[in-house]
Amino acid sequence: MELLALTNEIYALSQRLDKAAGEVYKLGNKKALTERTYCIELMQAIMTLKADKTAATLIPDLARGMTAESKFQRDLAEVQYKSAIEALDALKSQLTALQTVTKYQTDIGA
């Protein structure tokens, strides 16, 4: 691969890294918001069940059941965030590999 093509590929990867970093931030924010939403809904469900004089031993299970959708959204946001981090790491690895090839080619004078 010639040096100009490598340089262009490195530039394109760096642009993708910039965009990916922004996406990771957005997904991290979404993760935090869904966690907050789940905690609030869980607390509200627990308080509702206590107010209804539900047996104390049943409250945790019933409250988790009442907030299952919110918990699913929380878990989904976490998986998306972790996937984005892994994709970002893959882009970094590609960039490092291209930089190594570029350095090797410039060292041997290709």
Side-chain angles (χ1 to χ4, degrees):
M1 190 175 233
E2 66 180 67
L3 194 57
L4 183 59
L6 282 172
T7 305
N8 287 338
E9 182 112 13
I10 288 172
Y11 177 74
L13 268 173
S14 67
Q15 295 294 351
R16 288 177 61 196
L17 274 170
D18 283 344
K19 288 180 183 177
E23 280 302 309
V24 167
Y25 174 80
K26 288 178 190 175
L27 289 171
N29 189 47
K30 179 181 175 185
K31 179 181 177 284
L33 290 173
T34 56
E35 176 69 27
R36 181 181 67 184
T37 300
Y38 171 67
C39 288
I40 290 170
E41 286 183 17
L42 183 61
M43 179 268 312
Q44 289 172 340
I46 290 169
M47 297 307 292
T48 299
L49 291 167
K50 283 185 178 186
D52 292 344
K53 306 247 188 257
T54 304
T57 56
L58 296 176
I59 289 176
D61 291 333
L62 293 173
R64 282 195 303 274
M66 292 168 67
T67 59
E69 179 61 28
S70 185
K71 184 176 182 181
F72 170 76
Q73 293 301 323
R74 179 202 68 176
D75 293 347
L76 180 61
E78 182 175 350
V79 168
Q80 289 173 333
Y81 176 74
K82 287 180 180 179
S83 295
I85 293 291
E86 289 180 21
L88 188 63
D89 288 342
L91 287 175
K92 288 178 188 177
S93 295
Q94 288 177 359
L95 184 59
T96 300
L98 286 174
Q99 288 171 332
T100 301
V101 170
T102 302
K103 182 172 177 11
Y104 177 75
Q105 283 193 350
T106 55
D107 286 350
I108 63 169

